[in-house]
Amino acid sequence: MGKGIAVVTGAAGGIGTEIVRAVVLAGYKTIMACQSVEKGMQKRDLLVRETGNPQIEVLWLDLASLASVVEFTEEIAGRGETVDLLMNNAGTMCPALTTTERDIEGTVCVNYVGPWLLTQRLVPLMGAGSRIMNMVSCTFPLGRVDMPRFFTHGRKGGFRKLSVYSNTKLALVLFTMELAERLAEKGITVNAADPGIVSTDMITIHRWYDPLADLFFRPFIRTPRKGAATAVGLLLEERYAGVSGKVWAGDYPSNISSRYVENGLQKQLWEETEKLLRDLL
């Protein structure tokens, strides 16, 4: 039985490129979902040369645009192929409050609402054994999801980019847990991966001391390949078959506070997100 396709968002970034390389080497026909098609094509050509596998395609996807998510998923659905792997890797940390469609804050849209919609629209193309992976962050335990302000401003109070970022990653963890429960009977697994602190453009602060940080700090943090390793293992390794609903850092699942389930936040967030996007499902 042949393999279906793998979809990787944020595929032109450092971690994304490493994930694409791994799934292509594993024999999957891979769709690189990229905000910049030009950058994606550059990475695609490099990966084709390195892997010898031409079954890599670049498609435009801007997670800040719900219309883009709909267009992307309609394109894939029209092909009649199955989706075996979905890697929600794309992420951002907006430096200031921005507003996208439906008054959704920018970081919230890219890191949580966009991936939520993308996943929901691709699930009908998946079957038993398909794997969904969400890239989270070591900052998610610092997060809070205060609704309804979470959707429009990212947090209660004034805008703080790291706080909003952490809140979106907690939301993605809650989504992982809830979706895992809902898809258990279908045999589709859902997990989240914490890459650790990785040397990518996202950790650039855009201040005068960035060159000093690059000189003294970056050599001691993880490379994109090491940051991608946890997600790659969960996507491809047989030992993770059937494992679902967990957040992983390396080979070990993280402890998730029971308060998220006990206070109903996990299901409340799902219901509010579903209400926000109902006409797009």
Side-chain angles (χ1 to χ4, degrees):
M1 189 173 179
K3 293 180 177 177
I5 62 175
V7 176
V8 181
T9 71
I15 292 178
T17 300
E18 295 300 333
I19 294 170
V20 172
R21 178 181 287 108
V23 296
V24 167
L25 288 171
Y28 286 91
K29 178 181 177 181
T30 304
I31 294 176
M32 299 176 63
C34 301
Q35 183 184 29
S36 169
V37 172
E38 180 180 2
K39 186 176 179 181
M41 288 301 298
Q42 292 172 354
K43 291 295 181 73
R44 185 257 178 199
D45 293 344
L46 174 66
L47 289 167
V48 169
R49 290 195 299 271
E50 289 182 358
T51 65
N53 184 348
Q55 297 296 302
I56 310 173
E57 181 181 4
V58 177
L59 288 181
W60 175 68
L61 175 65
D62 182 359
L63 289 167
S65 166
L66 301 181
S68 172
V69 175
V70 171
E71 179 182 336
F72 178 87
T73 53
E74 286 181 343
E75 166 67 24
I76 295 177
R79 301 179 180 189
E81 297 180 280
T82 60
V83 175
D84 281 355
L85 306 176
L86 170 60
M87 178 72 237
N88 287 314
N89 168 68
T92 191
M93 188 190 301
C94 297
L97 179 67
T98 58
T99 302
T100 64
E101 303 163 44
R102 306 185 184 212
D103 294 325
I104 303 170
E105 193 280 325
T107 300
V108 174
C109 197
V110 173
N111 291 2
Y112 170 69
V113 175
W116 194 99
L117 180 62
L118 175 72
T119 303
Q120 289 293 89
R121 290 181 60 91
L122 290 182
V123 162
L125 308 181
M126 299 179 181
S130 293
R131 301 186 188 189
I132 298 170
M133 183 64 49
N134 296 318
M135 192 67 81
V136 291
S137 164
C138 58
T139 67
F140 84 83
L142 304 176
R144 290 178 58 88
V145 178
D146 297 304
M147 290 176 285
R149 194 172 173 83
F150 168 69
F151 291 103
T152 57
H153 292 78
R155 69 187 297 268
K156 186 181 292 185
F159 184 88
R160 294 179 183 174
K161 67 177 183 179
L162 183 57
S163 294
V164 173
Y165 176 80
S166 300
N167 295 349
T168 62
K169 292 304 182 178
L170 172 58
L172 205 54
V173 166
L174 299 176
F175 172 53
T176 298
M177 296 164 62
E178 182 66 19
L179 186 62
E181 292 180 12
R182 291 172 179 257
L183 295 182
E185 291 186 358
K186 295 180 181 292
I188 301 171
T189 61
V190 190
N191 287 285
D194 169 10
I197 301 175
V198 182
S199 182
T200 66
D201 290 341
M202 191 178 294
I203 66 170
T204 300
I205 308 299
H206 301 292
R207 297 289 181 86
W208 63 268
Y209 46 77
D210 276 335
L212 293 177
D214 288 345
L215 180 63
F216 294 109
F217 179 59
R218 283 189 188 268
F220 299 100
I221 59 180
R222 308 187 86 186
T223 64
R225 182 162 298 186
K226 288 184 177 179
T230 297
V232 167
L234 288 160
L235 284 169
L236 299 176
E237 293 180 14
E238 184 61 30
R239 61 179 168 142
Y240 294 115
V243 176
S244 193
K246 299 181 182 300
V247 180
W248 297 80
D251 294 331
Y252 303 98
S254 301
N255 292 321
I256 308 299
S257 174
S258 60
R259 74 178 186 272
Y260 300 126
V261 179
E262 293 169 354
N263 66 10
L265 180 60
Q266 176 180 321
K267 295 192 181 300
Q268 182 189 4
L269 177 61
W270 178 283
E271 291 168 0
E272 292 298 322
T273 309
E274 190 174 47
K275 185 188 303 182
L276 179 67
L277 303 176
R278 185 167 290 143
D279 61 309
L280 300 178
L281 296 174

